[in-house]
Amino acid sequence: MAYMTGLTRAGQPWTPQFITKLNHHQCIGCGRCFKVCSRDVFSLVKRDELEDSLDDEELDDEDFDDDVLYVMTISNVDDCIGCGSCAKVCPKNCQEHAPLDLAA
Ligand code: SF4
Ligand code: SF4
């Protein structure tokens, strides 16, 4: 597979890890990923509004924690630069990241 790569300042290749998913059931709405992302990829939304917008498969028979009023969503996935900062600050490991397969 051929993945999208970039270069460090020293000219060394590195492979960006782009966000692909965010698990709303694990999210506690702490906002850390929102604050650390320099690309405005995330939006904080009311949990009950998100539930209304999900289909049955996405709800996956799991109930949200009633104490969680807000959850994070991915609103601008194409603006992600694959820096991985959101994964480092998330206390619940909500996000999944992957390199971009240029052949896909
Ligand atoms: S990987 Fe970086 S740019 Fe992409 S969503 Fe996370 S913090 Fe934002
Ligand atoms: S850092 Fe994790 S738990 Fe906190 S809002 Fe973002 S996805 Fe949710």
Side-chain angles (χ1 to χ4, degrees):
M1 275 188 217
Y3 293 124
M4 179 185 286
T5 58
L7 295 176
T8 67
R9 186 171 181 274
Q12 297 298 314
W14 71 285
T15 304
Q17 298 287 328
F18 299 99
I19 194 161
T20 56
K21 279 185 189 171
L22 192 156
N23 186 325
H24 303 111
H25 299 286
Q26 288 175 214
C27 178
I28 57 172
C30 70
R32 290 177 190 171
C33 57
F34 181 88
K35 286 181 190 166
V36 80
C37 181
S38 62
R39 302 290 299 174
D40 292 333
V41 171
F42 299 108
S43 295
L44 195 62
V45 297
K46 286 187 175 173
R47 188 201 67 189
D48 52 4
E49 289 176 6
L50 177 71
E51 280 179 299
D52 290 344
S53 70
L54 295 177
D55 60 31
D56 289 344
E57 189 176 324
E58 288 172 306
L59 281 171
D60 199 22
D61 293 331
E62 289 183 60
D63 290 325
F64 284 90
D65 182 342
D66 284 341
D67 292 335
V68 174
L69 298 180
Y70 288 86
V71 291
M72 199 61 68
T73 60
I74 302 171
S75 52
N76 299 306
V77 69
D78 287 342
D79 284 344
C80 177
I81 57 172
C83 68
S85 299
C86 50
K88 290 199 169 180
V89 298
C90 180
K92 303 293 281 182
N93 293 323
C94 296
Q95 303 131 9
E96 292 180 27
H97 296 75
L100 186 65
D101 183 356
L102 295 173

